Every structure is written in structure tokens, then in C-alpha cells.
Amino acid sequence: MSVAGSPIAVVTGASSGIGAATARQLAAAGHHVVLAARRKDRIEALAAELVAAGHQATAHPLDVTDRAAVQAFAAGLDRCDVLVNNAGGALGADPVATGDPEDWRTMYETNVLGVLHVTQALLPALTASGDGTVVIVSSTAGHATYEGGAGYVAAKNGARVLAETLRLEIVGTPVRVVEIAPGMVRTEEFATTRFRGDAEKAAKVYAGVAAPLTADDVADTITWAVTRPSHVNIDLLVVRPRAQASNAKVHREQ
């Protein structure tokens, strides 16, 4: 894929939630967004929406856990200025004693190896751009654990450490490494996916919380970090709703 002019921003997990919101905001900020996600129909609809609004967008179906597919995707890009590693997610809330190893494997492959695959594939282009930015969307789960969250916490810890280590390893190159760690965000799918479609369980996550973060809130922080002057690196930005003081301390109204 050859695109001239605007900076190119690849957003993974762009079919819904934070990824879709980030694509909208980066497009509005003047980027040509490349929407990468497994659900072809959703990213094509989003690309059409953005183009109709006068922005630049291209949809590319992609499973970030498929290394060969990621490499082929990267080979098809002439340029890449920004990479937003957003694809990820949680499965289950079981204690360590009974957690499903397959859930843990899936979370690790998506939240850690997926980030690794895409970052490795696009790092040469990001460096060649002369002013690249890698964003890794982790979670406050990657900074403090909680009961029932060990599998997701372990995966997001992996993403956090990947960001920290990459920043050390490529210092002196023209590429910034940014970690955005959201707290409680209410999107249309995150909790529902975690609880395998159980809407009642998903709703309990946010019960009594007057104003959880939205996907747009997180997208706003990502876009802000990306659009800072090129010498400014936002190493880590933790963003929570006012009602959440920590992973385990949330104010819930009666």
C-alpha cells in the first residue's frame, strides 16, 4: 500500500472500542489511519465513515497473533509514522487455583506476542520515517494486581515491560515509545467479552460508578501523546475515572 502526504498511523484492534475511537481522533488530527483488526466488515465500515467525513483511512484485516500475516501486512506499507498497539483484551476472572490455561495463553498471545509481532515488523519503517512513535496500550492491571485478574495482569505486565525495555534499547533512534495505561473504561465489548457474553456479569463491573472512562477519553490521551512535539516522549500515562483511586478502590454510588 502506497500513501503519500499525511503521516501514516497504524491502529490495531481498530474494529471497536478504544481502537476505533483512536482511529477517528488520529484521522481528525491529520493522519492517514490504517485500520487493522480481524473483523473485516467493521473496519471497512469505519474506513468508509472516515473517508466520507473527509479524512484518510484504509482497512486491512489482520490477526496480530499471526506472525506471517503481520509480516505480510508490514511489507505492504511504504511508510509508517505511528503504531498504536491496541489489540488485546481479557478473558475470565477466575482465581489462580482454577484459571483456564487456555485463557491465559490467549491473553498472552494477544496482549504480548501480538504487540511484539507488529512492533518488530513495523520498527524499521518507524525508524526510517525519521520521527516515529510506538504506542502500547497496556492497563492499570499491568501496574497492580487484583483478585481474579492474574491472567490479564500477567499479560498486561508483559506489555508494560515490553514498552519499558524497547524504550531503553532504541534510545538514540528517532522513535518514541509511549505507554498508555487506562483504568476502568466502559466500552461496548471489553467486559462482555471477558465474561463470554454474560451481560449481567459485565454490568456489575461498572455498577454504581457514575462515570467510567469512555473509549473517547482514552483515545484523547493517545492522540495527545502522539501529537506532542517530536522531542517530547510521554513514557507512561495512567488514566482513570475520578471514581477510581486504584484497581481495588472504586467509589460506587448507592
Side-chain angles (χ1 to χ4, degrees), residues 157-170:
N157 255 295
R160 174 181 66 82
V161 170
L162 192 159
E164 290 183 353
T165 308
L166 178 63
R167 190 181 301 115
L168 292 172
E169 291 172 345
I170 66 171

Side-chain angles (χ1 to χ4, degrees), residues 209-229:
V209 180
L213 295 178
T214 66
D216 284 332
D217 293 328
V218 181
D220 184 52
T221 68
I222 294 169
T223 302
W224 177 81
V226 167
T227 56
R228 294 311 84 209

Side-chain angles (χ1 to χ4, degrees), residues 90-113:
L91 285 175
D94 301 314
V96 172
T98 57
D100 185 342
E102 286 308 308
D103 285 349
W104 284 54
R105 187 187 309 279
T106 298
M107 286 187 282
Y108 190 84
E109 288 180 348
T110 306
N111 292 285
V112 184
L113 293 181

Side-chain angles (χ1 to χ4, degrees), residues 14-58:
S15 60
S16 66
I18 293 169
T22 298
R24 290 186 176 99
Q25 293 198 28
L26 286 175
H31 293 77
H32 181 122
V33 291
V34 179
L35 312 170
R38 290 174 298 177
R39 292 179 291 187
K40 182 173 182 286
D41 56 336
R42 291 207 177 193
I43 55 174
E44 288 182 343
L46 178 55
E49 170 199 318
L50 293 173
V51 170
H55 304 311
Q56 299 175 76
T58 306

